[in-house]
Amino acid sequence: MYRYLYVEEIVRTEEQKPVTTCGIRIIKCDGAKDKEICYIRDVFTNIELGKQFAKICTREQLDPVHIFDAIENFLP
């Protein structure tokens, strides 16, 4: 089973202005052992969109090999 989590991050623009973005962390849940298998930084600038994406991926059990296609298809 996979669990997708959104992670709020603060990144800086070229002008050094702080901006809050959202990354995606993928956790493989295997009994008592949970293991992070992927962390993608700075995916969404809309935190609510990142939360929704993580929730859908967890619910649908997206195979992590498809994460980049899923992100591309999810972005407006």
Side-chain angles (χ1 to χ4, degrees):
M1 177 177 167
Y2 297 104
R3 189 169 36 151
Y4 289 77
L5 306 171
Y6 75 94
V7 180
E8 289 185 39
E9 309 170 303
I10 297 176
V11 298
R12 297 202 175 266
T13 64
E14 290 180 10
E15 297 81 27
Q16 297 303 309
K17 179 182 173 186
V19 177
T20 301
T21 65
C22 181
I24 298 294
R25 178 170 279 143
I26 306 171
I27 308 293
K28 183 172 184 173
C29 304
D30 187 21
K33 294 182 182 181
D34 289 352
K35 181 179 179 183
E36 180 178 304
I37 59 170
C38 184
Y39 180 47
I40 307 166
R41 296 183 163 279
D42 194 19
V43 178
F44 300 100
T45 55
N46 180 319
I47 301 303
E48 290 306 312
L49 196 63
K51 289 179 184 180
Q52 183 181 10
F53 179 79
K55 186 177 180 179
I56 291 169
C57 290
T58 298
R59 182 184 69 224
E60 299 298 322
Q61 284 300 287
L62 177 72
D63 189 317
V65 301
H66 302 293
I67 187 67
F68 291 107
D69 290 332
I71 290 169
E72 185 177 330
N73 291 333
F74 197 78
L75 290 172

